[in-house]
Amino acid sequence: PGRVVARMILCLHGYAQNAAFFRQRTGSLRKALKAVAGDFVFVDAPFAATAGFLLGDINADERGQSLGWWTFDEATASRPSLSHEYAGVERSLELLDATCEREGPFDGVLGFSQGAALAALLCMRRRTLFRFAILVAGFVPRDPQWAADFRPEAPLPLPSLHVSGAADAAVPPERAAALAACFAARVCYEHPGGHAIPSDAPFRASLKEFVAGGG
């Protein structure tokens, strides 16, 4: 009696990251969730991240491969979050479907930035796949083909935790808020930092409470 069921969480990294790097970056969060989350499965995105803004900004020796969940035309946008035309989303969704078949079922999904946008899209398209979602610096896709799945007038009832940074220049808080509006049972957490996953004690406590409740 009173035993907390350990939860399986699928984890999707951000643009120009990879599974191993994201695992490293979420170490303090995974430690905080040790009592309530049984296993975290990190997946590598299928595409190379080659955007020009990354030049000189990425230490490959430290981070490993730079990967992305979709590619975009740099002639029309400087960053994947600003693009209005995504290439490769179908392939990424197929990869995640296969991962869920092979390694699931998962209780929840955790995504950061581009990974959070894809996680949210997966939630919208496979409405009973997860029991909760944790979306950090997430955004509604700007590509109309995928944006059509996000309907604030008919929000998804899935419990969700939306994390935004007050100083995030890559995904401003208002874009994270627009994504949150597409989820009915949402909890929003804003930290004072930028484009990163917070690891301070108040956030770890909020995260643990959310996951322990099954969302």
Side-chain angles (χ1 to χ4, degrees), residues 148-173:
D149 286 293
F150 294 79
R151 300 171 57 212
E153 72 279 5
L156 184 70
L158 183 76
S160 56
L161 175 62
H162 301 263
V163 184
S164 60
D168 191 339
V171 180

Side-chain angles (χ1 to χ4, degrees), residues 42-57:
F42 293 80
V43 183
D44 278 326
F47 303 104
T50 57
F53 77 89
L54 299 173
L55 294 176
D57 192 39

Side-chain angles (χ1 to χ4, degrees), residues 7-80:
R7 307 186 188 286
M8 286 264 291
I9 300 177
L10 177 66
C11 305
L12 309 183
H13 61 78
Y15 186 73
Q17 297 182 349
N18 57 67
F21 181 78
F22 195 42
R23 175 180 285 278
Q24 175 191 331
R25 281 297 174 96
T26 55
S28 64
L29 301 188
R30 288 185 289 112
K31 187 176 179 182
L33 294 176
K34 193 174 180 181
V36 294
D39 199 11
F40 297 82
V41 174
F42 293 80
V43 183
D44 278 326
F47 303 104
T50 57
F53 77 89
L54 299 173
L55 294 176
D57 192 39
I58 298 293
N59 183 336
D61 292 336
E62 177 188 315
R63 294 172 67 117
Q65 254 188 315
S66 288
L67 302 173
W69 296 104
W70 67 76
T71 59
F72 65 103
D73 183 356
E74 285 192 80
T76 61
S78 59
R79 289 176 175 270

